[in-house]
Amino acid sequence: MADLLTPTNDAQFEQTAESLITMTAKDGGNVDHAGAIIDHIDIWTTAIEQKSSAGRGSSNKFSLYGIKKLRELILELAVRGKLVPQDPNDEPASVLLERIAAEKAQLVKEEKLKKQKPLPEISEDEKPFELPKGWEWSKLGSLSSDIHYGYTASAKHNSEGVRLLRITDIQNDKVNWSTVPACDISPEKSKSYLLENDDILLARTGGTIGKSYLVENINVEAVFASYLIRVRRIGSMYASYIKVYLGSQLYWVQLYNNAAGTGQPNVNATALKSLLFPIPPLEEQHRIVAKVDELMSLCDALEAQTEASISAHQTLVETLLNALLLPLPQATSQSDVSLEPQPFTDSFDKDWQRVADHFDTLFTTAASIDTLKQTILQLAVMGKLVKQNPNDEPAAKLLERIAKEKAQLIKEGKIKKQKLLPAITHEEKPFELPQGWEFTRLENIAELITKGSSPKWQGVIYTENESDVLFVTSENVGAFKLLLENKKYVELKFNEIEPRSILAYGDFLMNIVGGSIGRTAIFNIDALANINQAVCLIRCLADLSSSKYLLNFFNSSLCISYMMDKQVDNARANLSMGNISKFVMPIPPLEEQHRIVAKVDELMALCDQLKARLADAQTTQLHLTDAIVEQAV
């Protein structure tokens, strides 16, 4: 695994970047960048970016950063004249511009187009890069007959009549016209807004600003909504090449530099008309679009293949690890203690050895390492992570001592007498336990299970004073740890109103509402604190069980599955105190709890090291990809 996770060294980095951008000379000095793209597919498919998320199950969320950058590179090379060779026999773009000017003049003469104010000349300082021979710089406004805003109207619930195309109807450069709603518009008014083939639409505001759509094969009457801008091309231009330009970084950089608005970015028609536009000869425009289509199809295939490979890898990891979690048919009694996962059965021994033999190839992604972490926790609470020691005091004795301790606290009036819990049925037991272990309900080992309250309900206000009550919400409770970057405080009188939920050092905090349901951490700071109604406080009897073992249980898939199964089915998922009290827990002997915790800590540290090295390697891959793109253009 070390070889797979070790970041690329500087020499290898430079050598790979140099080899990628070394192009084959063609046609009197023109170069074939497309060939280099195809020859270095591995660079693009291995640069993967992990997405961050606060929720459970987010570890397998990723973006194919390398292929995304490859798409950007293809479009950028296209508009710089570096994607296909130039042909000296092509009619130069200067002649094309003359023809465009003549066409626009004729439209003005026929009163099909209003006379437009001439756009300022492009100075040498404005030109971002040098163009190939036969190309010319122009502006988007000079290449279109009109750039104007869409029609303001409300969408109707049906699709009968003239359709109203909105930004939301455009998905992945496609429109499903059967779902586009209609609108009320008169025939006379619609003439100014009816869409035609080769029209280009741009989103002009919000999060989709700059998003473009080329109208093709339209077979319905449709107008476009007011948050879109239409660019009508001149007949002499190839619309598909304009669409290529609208995907390039040359376009996007200019667009964002020109975006205006304080609330949210937006772009207007005037700014669009001024965008610098590199024009190839018309014949080359067609060759560029054909090459872009070919390479984008390659990117689609790479994307599908890479995602399928990642998915298959994760399925393999889960299959092999799940084999380790098969229930034990019979408990074992082994006198020696070991820190290695144990072959309780021949099957377990073989399954573990299979994972160990392929460790280097199995745990090479964040998702696979997170799956390994969850498997470690599950093995821990099943009694499969360390060997049992017949000399350990059995868990039954531990539970007897806990019961006596609770009875004494009730007698002294320190805790209330609890209702008798139902016996644990055979169906509730998820697996057979090793010798010396016992199942119990959470309430049997807890002196308090409660939740907090809302300050608003109690007439208490938030404060900025750190000497007041630290107010812990579900945002502050992560898996295994408190998240206290953002602290809230409430007036001291909140603790007087809600003394039951005042926190003590070592309390367990569990989120019981919403998307973070089930995340559990230990309150391990010295602070005057309380909780809100979305957090459950679980206070176990001191020194009668290992807090770290219980924390591992609460964050294991066994407990999480129980939580998900017991959620109250209403508008927002939540756990009741009654259901939490009835959690079925596997309890090992106290001595074994400590051995389990030590082993879990050791293995989790290894997983964190693997993940850190993986992150370093991925970061290097991302930087390598960026450097390749930068040097290639």
Side-chain angles (χ1 to χ4, degrees), residues 345-470:
T345 66
D346 289 341
S347 175
F348 182 90
D349 188 21
K350 291 176 183 176
D351 292 334
W352 176 258
Q353 192 58 48
R354 185 164 49 185
V355 171
D357 288 345
H358 301 284
F359 199 83
D360 287 355
T361 54
L362 287 174
F363 304 108
T364 57
T365 65
S368 63
I369 296 170
D370 284 341
T371 304
L372 176 59
K373 281 186 166 186
Q374 194 52 243
T375 303
I376 290 167
L377 293 179
Q378 188 69 0
L379 290 171
V381 300
M382 292 179 73
K384 289 186 168 190
L385 198 63
V386 300
K387 289 181 180 179
Q388 281 70 55
N389 186 338
N391 297 320
D392 289 343
E393 178 190 68
K397 295 287 186 182
L398 173 62
L399 292 175
E400 286 176 10
R401 285 208 312 280
I402 291 175
K404 289 180 182 178
E405 177 70 15
K406 288 193 72 171
Q408 184 61 32
L409 291 172
I410 292 169
K411 184 177 180 181
E412 295 172 1
K414 293 181 179 178
I415 62 173
K416 292 182 179 180
K417 187 174 183 179
Q418 298 159 343
K419 291 181 180 179
L420 189 64
L421 291 167
I424 298 172
T425 65
H426 180 74
E427 289 73 21
E428 288 181 282
K429 297 176 181 179
F431 42 75
E432 291 294 322
L433 291 176
Q435 184 176 346
W437 288 49
E438 296 288 339
F439 279 117
T440 190
R441 296 196 187 275
L442 176 58
E443 190 174 280
N444 287 332
I445 64 169
E447 62 176 88
L448 177 64
I449 299 176
T450 190
K451 65 178 180 178
S453 179
S454 166
K456 184 178 179 180
W457 298 343
Q458 310 299 350
V460 175
I461 63 172
Y462 288 96
T463 75
E464 300 291 333
N465 192 346
E466 294 186 6
S467 64
D468 283 335
V469 177
L470 175 65

Side-chain angles (χ1 to χ4, degrees), residues 225-242:
S226 56
Y227 284 105
L228 290 167
I229 297 180
R230 176 170 61 183
V231 178
R232 303 205 85 162
R233 70 157 185 128
I234 289 293
S236 301
M237 278 294 296
Y238 186 31
S240 295
Y241 175 74
I242 298 176

Side-chain angles (χ1 to χ4, degrees), residues 528-543:
L528 187 64
N530 213 310
I531 54 176
N532 76 349
Q533 70 278 10
V535 178
C536 171
L537 181 165
I538 302 169
R539 184 172 298 152
C540 294
L541 290 160
D543 301 326

Side-chain angles (χ1 to χ4, degrees), residues 1 179 243 307 317 364 380 388 466 493 513 545 583 597:
M1 173 166 277
T179 63
K243 183 66 170 74
E307 288 176 349
V317 168
T364 57
Q388 281 70 55
E466 294 186 6
K493 65 179 181 180
V513 177
S545 61
F583 278 4
V597 167

Side-chain angles (χ1 to χ4, degrees), residues 151 161 311:
Y151 181 64
S311 177

